[in-house]
């Protein structure tokens, strides 16, 4: 059974930044729209009890780099349900839902801004 916890996300965030920005945290922070200090503190954000700061960070990474949210969260693109404990399955599902909600909220804000600019 796959062992999972939110702290395991940080190495994939670092790997994404290494691959896409040659490890330049400043460039990555600028690209996703947060401060470099916030991005450098990603491990603490991802390990925190609250899902929402982690969801905002992951949504920003998914949006900016077109990264696979499931891979960022679990390290795999597909995970058969039997590979995760019921508790981990629920935690992963909730975090994926939070990421999706963040992306949808951002899309709505962009639409509102475009409509406002046109009127």
């Amino acid at each position: 059974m796959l062992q999972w916890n939110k702290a395991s996300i940080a190495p994939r965030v670092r790997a994404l930044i290494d691959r896409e920005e040659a490890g330049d945290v400043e460039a990555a922070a600028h690209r996703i729209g947060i401060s470099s200090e916030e991005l450098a503190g990603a491990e603490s954000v991802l390990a925190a009890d609250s899902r929402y700061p982690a969801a905002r960070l992951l949504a920003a990474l998914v949006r900016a780099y077109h990264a696979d949210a499931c891979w960022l969260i679990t390290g795999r693109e597909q995970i058969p349900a039997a590979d995760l404990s019921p508790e981990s399955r629920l935690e992963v599902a909730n975090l994926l839902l939070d990421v999706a909600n963040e992306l949808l909220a951002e899309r709505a804000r962009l639409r509102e801004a475009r409509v406002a600019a046109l009127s």
Side-chain angles (χ1 to χ4, degrees):
M1 196 166 275
L2 180 66
Q3 291 293 95
W4 182 85
N5 63 55
K6 276 193 340 188
S8 70
I9 300 170
R12 286 182 290 283
V13 171
R14 280 193 302 276
L16 181 65
I17 292 168
D18 287 345
R19 184 181 74 227
E20 298 292 328
E21 304 291 354
D24 187 341
V25 174
E26 276 294 320
H30 179 72
R31 186 169 176 177
I32 65 174
I34 65 173
S35 73
S36 56
E37 292 80 21
E38 285 178 280
L39 186 53
E43 287 184 16
S44 60
V45 167
L46 293 168
D49 287 336
S50 174
R51 291 188 330 245
Y52 300 103
R56 280 192 292 275
L57 173 61
L58 293 170
L61 289 163
V62 166
R63 183 192 74 251
Y65 294 105
H66 303 279
D68 182 283
C70 189
W71 173 78
L72 273 171
I73 293 170
T74 66
R76 297 166 76 181
E77 291 181 10
Q78 296 179 351
I79 296 181
D83 284 356
L84 290 172
S85 70
E87 296 82 18
S88 291
R89 234 178 299 160
L90 182 60
E91 212 171 330
V92 167
N94 282 331
L95 190 51
L96 281 168
L97 180 61
D98 293 342
V99 169
N101 286 336
E102 286 291 327
L103 291 168
L104 289 170
E106 182 178 329
R107 178 195 264 173
R109 285 189 298 272
L110 290 172
R111 280 187 184 151
E112 288 173 10
R114 274 190 245 132
V115 168
L118 294 173
S119 49

